[in-house]
Amino acid sequence: MTTKDQFRPEDHPNDNFLLTTVVGSYPKPKWLNRAKELYQDPDHEFDAEDWQEAKDDAARLITDEHERAGLDVVVDGEMRRNEMVEFFAHRIEGYEFNGPVKVWGHNYFDKPSVVREVEYDENWLVDEYEFTAAASDRPVKVPITGPYTLANWSFNEAYEDDEELAYDLADLVNEEIEKLVDAGARYIQIDEPALATTPDDHAIVGECLERIVDGISASDASGGSSDESDGVPEEVRIGLHVCYGDYSRIYPEILEFPVDEFDLELANGDYEQLDVFKDPEFTKDLALGVCDAHVAEVESVEQIEENIKKGLEVVPPEQLVVSPDCGVKLLPREVAYGKMANMVEAARNVEEDLDAGEIDVERGAPTPADD
C-alpha cells in the first residue's frame, strides 16, 4: 500500500482513486477580517477570547466547505495564519519584527529578522491540526512552511549565511513534525516556494528535508514508539509543494529528496513545463495543479478533466493526486469553492473513464525540444 491509499474513502465509487485535496490557504470569511480589526482596536472590547472564538468558527466553516466540495483530504484553509513566514516567525525564538517592507505594487510584507540563534519555543500547528481533525470525519493535511523559505524570506542578521540558518530551522521543523505525528497527523506538506526561484540551492533544500524527516517516529498508545527504525513511519505521508520558477533546473535532482509527493504548479503555465518531468521517470507521487490559483474564473469540469489527463502523461493513476496550483486565498471565496467542486467532479469523471478503459495516455515520451 502506498501512503496515498490510506486516504481512499471506504465507499469510494471507482476502482481507480485520484486523491483530491488543496495546497492549503483559502479565502477568509469577510467577518473574520472584521473581527481581527476589532481585536486589534485598543478602544474596543473585542478581546482575546472573542478573537479565538472567531478563528475557531472560521476554521469549522472552511473545513465544512472543503467537505461540501467533496475533497478527500481537507485543510482548515489556514484560518489562523496571517502569512506563511510571519505566522511561524512569531512562534520561533530568535525572530523579531521591525515593521513591514514593500514587496510589489502596493503590497507590504511584515518581513521578520533573525537576530539571534533560532530555538523552538512553542507548538506551531499541533493545536490547529487537532482542532481540524476533531471538526471533520475526513483526513486532514497539515501544510507547514519549509526551513529554506523561512530563511530565504527573512532578514538574516545573526547567521554567517542563509544555509546555516536554514539547517537550524530544519531542526525546528523536525521537532514540530515529531509532535504532529504524535498527535495523529498522517499527511504533512512542506511548502518551499523559494526553491524554484533559487534553483541552485536544491542541495540545501535536500539537506533540510533530510534533517526534517530524521528520526521521526510515531508513538503508540502506551507512549512508546511504533517504529524503531530511522525515518518517517510508513503511514505518514510527506509532500513538498514548489511553485513558480523553472522546474528544469531542479529536476531530476529533487527525486532524491526524502518525500512521497511533489505538489507542483503547472496549470498557470498551461503545462509548458510538463515534459520536464517525463524523462527521467517520475518516481514519486505527483500532486498536479489542475486549477489556476491566479485566475479568478472557475475552470469548467471538462477543462479540469483535460488538465488531470496531463498528469497521466507523467505518472500512472496510482501515483496521481489533484489539487489547485497553489493556495487560493487571494481568490473570491465563491470562485475558490467553484474550482474545488469542479475539480472533485472532474477527478471522479476521469476515474470512471479509467475504470472503463476509455483513457489511453502514453507516458514517458517527452516531446522533442524545438530546434
Side-chain angles (χ1 to χ4, degrees):
M1 186 180 82
T2 70
T3 59
K4 173 185 158 188
D5 294 333
Q6 65 184 306
F7 305 113
R8 178 188 179 111
E10 292 183 1
D11 59 349
H12 194 70
N14 302 310
D15 292 335
N16 281 282
F17 173 51
L18 305 177
L19 188 153
T20 58
T21 186
V22 289
V23 172
S25 71
Y26 194 80
K28 289 182 170 63
K30 293 176 182 175
W31 53 259
L32 184 63
N33 295 326
R34 176 58 180 152
K36 184 178 181 180
E37 292 174 359
L38 294 176
Y39 174 58
Q40 293 176 333
D41 183 351
D43 298 325
H44 205 283
E45 295 181 354
F46 197 91
D47 60 18
E49 186 176 347
D50 296 328
W51 175 228
Q52 184 63 47
E53 182 178 337
K55 289 186 289 185
D56 288 349
D57 287 347
R60 288 192 195 92
L61 179 70
I62 300 305
T63 301
D64 178 70
E65 198 154 305
H66 285 186
E67 290 184 354
R68 285 190 289 110
L71 294 171
D72 299 305
V73 173
V74 301
V75 181
D76 77 346
E78 302 180 2
M79 291 297 106
R80 305 170 197 281
R81 309 186 195 182
N82 39 12
E83 193 276 335
M84 65 182 302
V85 172
E86 183 182 346
F87 174 85
F88 294 95
H90 275 295
R91 288 157 177 79
I92 298 174
E93 281 291 326
Y95 272 98
E96 70 175 29
F97 291 84
N98 296 299
V101 297
K102 194 172 185 178
V103 285
W104 72 85
H106 297 289
N107 293 293
Y108 285 81
F109 165 43
D110 203 4
K111 188 173 182 175
S113 298
V114 177
V115 296
R116 57 186 178 276
E117 187 172 326
V118 294
E119 296 180 21
Y120 191 90
D121 182 33
E122 58 179 300
N123 288 346
W124 302 351
L125 299 170
V126 172
D127 291 347
E128 175 188 295
Y129 164 74
E130 290 179 334
F131 185 94
T132 309
S136 177
D137 294 329
R138 303 197 184 187
V140 172
K141 181 165 74 172
V142 183
I144 178 171
T145 303
Y148 181 76
T149 298
L150 287 173
N152 198 261
W153 290 2
S154 304
F155 294 116
N156 176 13
E157 301 175 10
Y159 285 77
E160 182 175 340
D161 54 41
D162 287 354
E163 179 177 355
E164 183 185 356
L165 171 59
Y167 293 155
D168 270 10
L169 288 166
D171 291 339
L172 305 190
V173 176
N174 169 275
E175 191 168 347
E176 177 66 13
I177 291 182
E178 179 88 33
K179 295 178 186 298
L180 285 165
V181 170
D182 277 349
R186 293 296 178 265
Y187 195 169
I188 297 167
Q189 173 187 285
I190 311 297
D191 293 332
E192 289 286 17
L195 170 59
T197 59
T198 49
D200 292 340
D201 285 350
H202 62 77
I204 297 174
V205 175
E207 173 60 25
C208 285
L209 289 165
E210 293 287 349
R211 287 172 178 245
I212 286 172
V213 302
D214 181 46
I216 298 291
S217 59
S219 297
D220 60 25
S222 64
S225 173
S226 63
D227 187 346
E228 298 298 331
S229 63
D230 291 336
V232 179
E234 290 183 358
E235 67 272 24
V236 177
R237 181 177 182 83
I238 302 291
L240 179 69
H241 172 62
V242 183
C243 49
Y244 315 115
D246 181 357
Y247 291 129
S248 69
R249 297 183 62 187
I250 59 174
Y251 191 83
E253 288 81 1
I254 59 173
L255 293 177
E256 300 300 320
F257 292 175
V259 301
D260 301 291
E261 167 192 291
F262 288 103
D263 187 296
L264 303 173
E265 176 188 30
L266 287 165
N268 180 249
D270 198 24
Y271 300 94
E272 290 182 353
Q273 296 194 65
L274 190 71
D275 286 347
V276 168
F277 303 101
K278 293 180 179 178
D279 187 19
E281 179 183 3
F282 198 91
T283 54
K284 306 285 186 172
D285 287 0
L286 171 63
L288 182 73
V290 297
C291 298
D292 193 338
H294 303 285
V295 174
E297 296 177 0
V298 178
E299 294 91 343
S300 69
V301 172
E302 292 75 16
Q303 178 59 60
I304 300 174
E305 288 175 10
E306 292 305 311
N307 293 347
I308 293 173
K309 291 174 187 175
K310 295 284 187 183
L312 295 171
E313 296 178 25
V314 178
V315 295
E318 58 270 23
Q319 287 176 237
L320 186 61
V321 174
V322 294
S323 72
D325 258 351
C326 202
V328 294
K329 70 177 182 180
L330 298 179
L331 295 172
R333 190 168 148 203
E334 65 274 15
V335 172
Y337 179 80
K339 284 176 183 279
M340 290 192 304
N342 280 5
M343 183 181 77
V344 172
E345 183 177 347
R348 302 290 94 96
N349 290 345
V350 172
E351 289 172 349
E352 288 182 3
D353 290 344
L354 286 165
D355 288 356
E358 296 176 356
I359 296 178
D360 182 19
V361 179
E362 182 180 357
R363 292 191 304 278
T367 302
D370 294 334
D371 293 331

